[in-house]
Amino acid sequence: MQRATISGIRLPFPAPRHRPRSAPATGALIALALAVFLPQCALRAEETTVSHDAAGLELFEKKIRPVLVQECYQCHSAEAASQKKLKGGLQLDTRDAVRKGGESGPAVVPSKPAESLLVSALRHEDFEMPPKGKLPDAIIADFVKWIELGAPDPRSGTATAMAPHIDIAAGRHFWSFERLRPVEPPAVLDGNWARTPLDRFILAKLESLDLKPNAPAAPRTLIRRAWFDLLGLPPTPEEMSYWISRLGETPAATPDPAAYAEMIDGLLANPHYGERWARHWMDVARFAESHGYEQDYDRPNAYPYRDFLIRAFNDDLPYDQFVRWQLAGDELQPDEPLAWMATGFLGAGAFPTQLTEAEFESARYDELDDMVATTGVAFLGLSVGCARCHDHKFDPIRSEDYYRLASSFTTTIRSEVELDVDPGPSVRLAKVLVASEGLPHLPHHADDRGFPHFYPEMFFLRRGDVKQKGEIATQGFLPVLLREDADSSRWRPAASLDSPPKTSLRRAALARWITDVDYGAGHLAARVIVNRLWQHHFGRGLVATANDFGASGERPSHPELLDWLAGELVSRGWRLKRLHKLIMTSAAYRESAEFDERRATLDRENAYLWRHTPRRLEAEAIRDAMLAVSGQLDPAMYGPGTLDPNMHRRSVYFFIKRSQLIPMMMLFDWPEHLVSIGQRSSTTIAPQALMFMNSPQGRQYAEAFAARLAESSDEQAVADGYQRAFGRAPSEQEWSLAAEFLKRQAEAHAARGQADAGRIARVDFCQALMSMNEFVYLE
């Protein structure tokens, strides 16, 4: 990654070419700070990722893609071109092809439906698509809405050929569907570089490409990297000093060979670890605390699911149990409050609270689709939901398989129960949102009009239409993930005649199937979670598409390593903390971020890990770091969250209301919490700079930060500020620049008649420190 550099102080935004003639007081101060640094400026471009609107993506997957596949691909796809049946030179099976268009121009102009030929063609104005007859107005309205949302389209790259029919036996030989097999780390030429067995997989690939890995990063860099990766917080000056003395960066220090592993163990035992990694999973689980849609009523008792996640990660709950509890904790361990809290996963999706009688049944099928689609991408990395209206076009998943899997949730509803939400010795009862069966449902506006909340049977639907019902769909699992000799009945719990079950136990069967490595889908579930951990440590997964392990997703960069790690996870009891340590003690993780063009030419995306890719922190870590260095972080854990953007608890405790998301968090690519997110976008936009430079929040953090600095000399204050913000001392050039900056700022404030000009200058200095790239980027 290339970044703006200002004399060793790096900014997270393009530096201005000049100071504005007039600006609010805070903006002028920061502009002056930049003016001091500008003579040394050397700007370089930063590559950013365009953010897809989550609502538009959801609309595309549910409403747009199925119509394109059903109505358009026959004449407008790569397959049609290969058969010389392409019409008008127009392909509609990739994002680039849609934007490029055909002989008449672009089919879609994002955000401009009036200029999009696809819309006029669907309306049968200039063209008539499909030629057999105009589609219903509701479908055309979906396309208009999608384009208004920017036409987000995940179909990057070249089109994937559609399977003419579903061949389950052949499908089982696709890389992600194959069973795990024992894998031995390969032989390498440079055996001295590898610290762990996983390094041999990395090094073997690099050697095959004539690439050499970077040397280890400096201890200070590794300490900061580890703190943010596991805790989402910066190390304190005291912590940095202690571990520097152990790791041996100073000339007088003797390195302690056990120190680094001991440091990782300590971080994994820190309760902030659970907060950090719970937030990662909340993206995957599309967790929010409101219903969404027009009214977006609150779900005030949804937060225990978040608390369950924090406790589960801190307690190192085996991942297979973690999965099973989220799907069927109430059925598998009905006497365990945490197991009940875990079922909040199923009830976390959006659901309309305003329904007409005609929408009752379709809304229920949409709700079931949310449950099965999220289960598919979260645990299996598969777009199961794409088979709702037709057989999956790319993966061996039939529409029949979709409905059999979805029937696991036929009678599952949201409800509230009173539970002990404190697993310690004290008892603290609270209402908890759960997903279960046979309990009173959550209140709904349509209750007085007979809204049933669920139907006792689920039917196969033709094209996903509730008016075109087929036979009753009984529970089943994806055949492509079943061992050939497996019978679905093996996962169904035996009912006791003495104590008949209170629920159908279908979800318990589903949970057991998903985590069964030998006969069920456990081999794929292991690969998916291993990849998620790898992604958060390296910025990119071994499979770059974390939520798509199917044919449309990326192939693994190191398939043998992925299987080796999955096998390690399973054989060691599905414990994630051990896997974290294995990854973080590797030579691959400990590489420096040093860049050179020759190696980048061979591997521009750093898919093969010849360096550690620098990356920007997420919204939560940026805000939490500002609170931490300013001394304002409230460490209180668990309990209800808040919508107050000025709260001082960690960002994981924000109340997530879908229609009222926290502005600062949205600036830094917070998800919209509508669908599962496998990896957040990382955009660079001007308002991010304004948040640091002009926002009352940024200034308030700077005020508190300045109050913590050494009270004696400016020289000591500068040293203290650098240590707290970056974990290092300033360079001589930075000393000089900072001293000049403080002097000029104090003079400017004094000229305005401000009695505490020196203090305000220090506030300006602290605000400048938190505005730098080094504060918000990991190397």
Side-chain angles (χ1 to χ4, degrees):
M1 180 189 61
Q2 297 177 335
R3 302 181 289 179
T5 303
I6 299 182
S7 186
I9 299 178
R10 291 159 288 185
L11 301 174
F13 47 84
R17 295 181 182 275
H18 62 279
R19 269 188 295 144
R21 294 180 181 176
S22 62
T26 302
L29 296 177
I30 301 304
L32 180 59
L34 295 177
V36 173
F37 298 132
L38 275 178
Q40 319 292 330
C41 176
L43 294 177
R44 294 182 289 176
E46 177 181 355
E47 185 176 340
T48 61
T49 304
V50 176
S51 175
H52 291 314
D53 181 87
L57 281 174
E58 182 180 29
L59 180 62
F60 177 84
E61 294 294 358
K62 290 188 174 181
K63 302 290 186 179
I64 305 303
R65 191 199 290 260
V67 175
L68 291 174
V69 171
Q70 188 74 22
E71 304 290 348
C72 307
Y73 280 11
Q74 183 176 354
C75 302
H76 300 286
S77 65
E79 188 171 351
S82 68
Q83 298 172 359
K84 298 184 179 181
K85 296 180 180 179
L86 189 69
K87 304 293 185 182
L90 173 63
Q91 287 186 209
L92 297 174
D93 49 354
T94 70
R95 179 180 65 239
D96 291 342
V98 169
R99 304 285 171 85
K100 178 182 178 183
E103 298 168 358
S104 301
V108 167
V109 180
S111 305
K112 298 179 180 179
E115 300 178 20
S116 299
L117 292 178
L118 181 60
V119 173
S120 63
L122 292 174
R123 289 172 173 165
H124 282 206
E125 293 173 351
D126 300 327
F127 305 94
E128 295 186 356
M129 287 176 51
K132 62 184 179 183
K134 185 179 175 183
L135 297 175
D137 290 342
I139 292 179
I140 298 173
D142 288 336
F143 275 85
V144 171
K145 179 64 175 176
W146 172 62
I147 294 172
E148 287 174 344
L149 291 172
D153 187 340
R155 302 171 302 162
S156 60
T158 56
T160 304
M162 295 183 292
H165 64 281
I166 301 295
D167 187 336
I168 299 298
R172 290 193 178 107
H173 296 293
F174 185 70
W175 74 266
S176 63
F177 302 148
E178 289 186 329
R179 298 278 145 188
L180 291 176
R181 292 187 294 268
V183 181
E184 289 296 323
V188 293
L189 299 177
D190 181 9
N192 295 325
W193 181 79
R195 294 175 181 267
T196 68
L198 75 82
D199 288 322
R200 290 165 58 185
F201 292 96
I202 300 296
L203 187 58
K205 179 71 75 171
L206 290 174
E207 289 177 343
S208 72
L209 298 171
D210 194 26
L211 284 169
K212 289 189 177 296
N214 275 356
R220 289 180 186 274
T221 300
L222 287 176
I223 292 168
R224 191 168 187 271
R225 185 186 295 172
W227 245 258
F228 275 106
D229 271 6
L230 290 181
L231 307 186
L233 293 169
T236 65
E238 295 76 20
E239 289 168 331
M240 181 65 82
S241 176
Y242 173 78
W243 287 108
I244 283 292
S245 70
R246 296 281 307 279
L247 294 174
E249 185 171 81
T250 60
T254 301
D256 179 350
Y260 183 77
E262 183 182 325
M263 182 183 76
I264 300 301
D265 286 336
L267 293 174
L268 289 169
N270 190 308
H272 290 311
Y273 160 77
E275 294 172 322
R276 172 66 158 158
W277 283 81
R279 182 57 256 193
H280 288 324
W281 187 261
M282 287 159 66
D283 282 8
V284 176
R286 51 65 175 114
F287 173 75
E289 297 167 87
S290 66
H291 283 75
Y293 293 90
E294 295 87 348
Q295 288 77 30
D296 195 30
Y297 294 126
D298 291 349
R299 294 172 181 165
N301 301 314
Y303 73 87
Y305 173 70
R306 177 247 293 144
D307 288 357
F308 155 74
L309 294 176
I310 296 172
R311 296 184 195 279
F313 282 109
N314 277 336
D315 295 343
D316 204 14
L317 187 73
Y319 180 71
D320 57 341
Q321 186 175 340
F322 177 79
V323 172
R324 290 194 294 267
W325 277 10
Q326 291 181 78
L327 295 173
D330 59 314
E331 292 185 331
L332 294 169
Q333 290 188 250
D335 297 327
E336 171 56 64
L338 281 175
W340 280 86
M341 292 159 64
T343 64
F345 169 83
L346 294 174
F351 187 74
T353 51
Q354 194 73 29
L355 293 172
T356 65
E357 286 83 343
E359 297 172 311
F360 286 175
E361 194 169 15
S362 61
R364 175 57 178 169
Y365 273 85
D366 288 344
E367 185 177 30
L368 294 172
D369 179 71
D370 170 74
M371 292 182 188
V372 72
T374 307
T375 296
V377 295
F379 303 122
L380 302 176
L382 294 178
S383 54
V384 177
C386 290
R388 179 181 181 181
C389 303
H390 47 72
D391 289 348
H392 203 293
K393 295 301 178 181
F394 308 114
D395 297 331
I397 304 173
R398 300 168 300 198
S399 186
E400 171 190 348
D401 304 333
Y402 166 89
Y403 284 100
R404 291 198 184 281
L405 192 66
S407 73
S408 303
F409 308 112
T410 298
T411 53
T412 301
I413 60 170
R414 294 180 185 87
S415 186
E416 287 182 343
V417 297
E418 193 170 67
L419 296 171
D420 177 9
V421 295
D422 186 350
S426 59
V427 174
R428 184 165 66 88
L429 297 178
K431 282 190 174 181
V432 176
L433 177 70
V434 299
S436 188
E437 303 170 35
L439 297 175
H441 57 71
L442 288 185
H444 193 280
H445 274 318
D447 286 341
D448 59 349
R449 290 179 283 115
F451 178 48
H453 290 267
F454 74 91
Y455 296 85
E457 305 288 354
M458 187 172 191
F459 292 88
F460 296 107
L461 304 181
R462 184 174 181 274
R463 297 191 63 184
D465 185 355
V466 296
K467 296 179 180 178
Q468 300 186 58
K469 291 186 179 70
E471 298 178 355
I472 293 174
T474 57
Q475 186 183 33
F477 308 116
L478 301 183
V480 74
L481 293 177
L482 291 172
R483 210 168 82 172
E484 292 184 33
D485 58 345
D487 186 328
S488 295
S489 63
R490 71 180 296 115
W491 295 288
R492 296 194 179 102
S496 170
L497 296 178
D498 298 329
S499 178
K502 298 178 180 179
T503 67
S504 67
L505 300 180
R506 286 188 292 253
R507 286 177 292 113
L510 170 67
R512 290 176 171 178
W513 167 73
I514 280 186
T515 55
D516 186 335
V517 176
D518 296 321
Y519 292 90
H523 58 297
L524 179 54
R527 288 186 179 109
V528 169
I529 189 57
V530 161
N531 191 65
R532 293 195 192 281
L533 262 66
W534 190 275
Q535 172 183 285
H536 287 301
H537 285 304
F538 289 93
R540 173 192 175 107
L542 295 169
V543 178
T545 49
N547 270 13
D548 191 352
F549 274 49
S552 296
E554 297 286 338
R555 301 301 183 266
S557 58
H558 300 77
E560 295 83 6
L561 172 58
L562 182 65
D563 277 13
W564 183 82
L565 289 169
E568 282 289 299
L569 175 70
V570 173
S571 66
R572 304 302 179 95
W574 295 84
R575 300 285 183 173
L576 296 182
K577 285 189 177 183
R578 182 187 176 277
L579 195 61
H580 281 296
K581 185 176 180 180
L582 179 62
I583 291 172
M584 296 181 71
T585 55
S586 69
Y589 178 81
R590 297 167 70 169
E591 285 181 290
S592 75
E594 181 184 352
F595 176 88
D596 74 70
E597 183 59 32
R598 187 197 72 80
R599 288 182 293 174
T601 301
L602 297 174
D603 180 19
R604 182 69 62 182
E605 298 297 322
N606 193 33
Y608 301 114
L609 300 172
W610 53 271
R611 66 191 289 246
H612 194 91
T613 303
R615 63 189 188 277
R616 197 186 69 202
L617 298 170
E618 312 95 307
E620 293 87 349
I622 292 173
R623 178 183 171 275
D624 293 354
M626 295 177 84
L627 284 169
V629 300
S630 64
Q632 294 184 301
L633 183 64
D634 179 353
M637 297 178 66
Y638 308 119
T642 179
L643 283 170
D644 180 4
N646 296 310
M647 79 153 180
H648 288 170
R649 298 177 72 195
R650 294 199 68 177
S651 303
V652 71
Y653 297 110
F654 273 128
F655 186 93
I656 304 173
K657 187 174 178 67
R658 288 184 163 102
S659 63
Q660 193 178 338
L661 299 173
I662 307 300
M664 176 185 170
M665 309 301 286
M666 296 303 293
L667 279 178
F668 291 96
D669 307 296
W670 216 33
E672 293 188 333
H673 304 87
L674 295 171
V675 296
S676 175
I677 300 295
Q679 183 172 22
R680 292 188 190 180
S681 300
S682 182
T683 63
T684 299
I685 56 176
Q688 293 167 350
L690 297 178
M691 190 284 296
F692 288 106
M693 295 171 65
N694 291 332
S695 75
Q697 277 183 307
R699 188 65 176 177
Q700 191 268 329
Y701 296 144
E703 292 267 3
F705 188 2
R708 305 185 76 196
L709 300 186
E711 296 184 3
S712 52
S713 67
D714 281 350
E715 185 176 85
Q716 288 179 315
V718 169
D720 195 10
Y722 269 80
Q723 285 291 350
R724 292 185 185 278
F726 309 132
R728 65 175 179 85
S731 67
E732 288 187 13
Q733 186 178 41
E734 289 166 338
W735 276 112
S736 175
L737 287 168
E740 176 67 14
F741 170 72
L742 286 169
K743 177 176 176 292
R744 291 175 61 177
Q745 289 298 92
E747 290 172 351
H749 292 304
R752 298 189 186 98
Q754 293 171 303
D756 54 349
R759 183 194 67 81
I760 300 175
R762 289 192 179 189
V763 175
D764 299 340
F765 170 69
C766 290
Q767 191 167 2
L769 288 180
M770 291 190 291
S771 298
M772 297 174 190
N773 253 358
E774 189 171 355
F775 189 78
V776 297
Y777 276 87
L778 278 185
E779 292 199 19

